[in-house]
Amino acid sequence: MTDEPAATPAFDRETLTVWLTANGVDHVTHDHPAVFRVEEGLDLKADLPGAHTKNLFLKDHKGRLWLISARQDTVIDLKRAAGAMGSGRLSFGNETLMWETLGVRPGSVTALGLINDIDRHVTFVLDRRLWDADIVNFHPLTNTATTALDQRAFRRVLSLLTREPVLVDFEALTSSV
């Protein structure tokens, strides 16, 4: 990597919203104060229907990048997750790599960031409970808003991005301790 600043991602909140609308993806976005950790936004989320998410940007020992999206209350044991995902030892990806691949900063990690991963460096891992939820909520590339997608709309986004998630039942992983 060079010391030059990373290029601006193709999509930000505004262009993501335009893309969703242009592609017929029904969505509702709610503005709110910045939220950096799941615990900070619990009161805000209480009024928003659907499953709320936690998102982890990870790198494995071979340099492969991973994005885990799970329900906010999911316990994720990275050692068990690595085995279920087909990965080796996992650690958190750094901010520069996050910006270069997903176009987001810490606190704004989201499955919707996959729109910026045009070179498909990131493998998307989805909690089974999100796959089964009626409505899922993600940051729209910024942590000052939450975008709600019903399951049909969420799957349309994945289809438009030609992303097939690796489904993992994180709840079963932790209950098998």
Side-chain angles (χ1 to χ4, degrees), residues 19-95:
W19 181 87
L20 291 169
T21 302
N23 282 286
V25 177
D26 291 332
H27 62 284
V28 177
T29 299
H30 303 274
D31 291 303
H32 52 69
V35 175
F36 292 92
R37 293 186 317 278
V38 169
E39 309 80 47
E40 291 178 13
L42 294 178
D43 57 331
L44 298 168
K45 296 171 188 173
D47 295 332
L48 304 176
H52 295 275
T53 59
K54 72 165 65 170
N55 299 274
L56 306 177
F57 178 68
L58 305 165
K59 184 176 182 178
D60 71 15
H61 69 292
K62 293 182 179 177
R64 293 184 302 174
L65 302 178
W66 303 83
L67 172 63
I68 296 176
S69 291
R71 279 183 58 122
Q72 71 180 4
D73 58 349
T74 302
V75 175
I76 299 175
D77 177 323
L78 290 182
K79 288 182 183 177
R80 288 177 181 259
M85 294 163 32
S87 168
R89 185 177 36 87
L90 294 165
S91 60
F92 288 92
N94 68 46
E95 183 176 352

